[in-house]
Amino acid sequence: SLRTEFVLFASQDGANIRSLCRHYGISPATGYKWLKRRAEEGVSGLQDRSRAPHHSPNRSPDDITDLLRMAHARHERW
């Protein structure tokens, strides 16, 4: 993938990280993030990650959501 290719080039001695970021069309923050993940987690650190929040304090409880879904199934026009 392009991430792996970027990290391989950026990991070489004397590599210009910002120039490589421009070449690959990514921000320097993203480039450095990928390099850090590769160093900490190996190749698996370059995989896509979920963008879902880890915590949603205002989320409705599951039992209320289930009740709303049942009501919607019974009365689809509501």
Side-chain angles (χ1 to χ4, degrees):
S1 78
L2 290 177
R3 289 180 191 183
T4 306
E5 186 178 315
F6 167 81
V7 169
L8 289 175
F9 285 127
S11 298
Q12 295 176 357
D13 289 336
N16 186 332
I17 307 277
R18 290 187 179 263
S19 175
L20 284 168
C21 289
R22 279 192 300 273
H23 176 75
Y24 284 91
I26 60 173
S27 70
T30 299
Y32 284 107
K33 176 178 66 175
W34 289 351
L35 287 168
K36 180 181 175 187
R37 284 185 187 171
R38 171 70 160 87
E40 292 175 352
E41 302 173 31
V43 178
S44 64
L46 299 177
Q47 300 294 323
D48 284 336
R49 295 187 176 183
S50 172
R51 295 179 184 199
H54 296 288
H55 180 67
S56 300
N58 295 326
R59 182 175 178 224
S60 300
D62 289 337
D63 55 339
I64 292 176
T65 304
D66 292 339
L67 288 172
L68 290 170
R69 286 187 179 135
M70 287 189 323
H72 177 73
R74 289 184 189 153
H75 308 283
E76 291 183 16
R77 295 189 183 265
W78 280 8

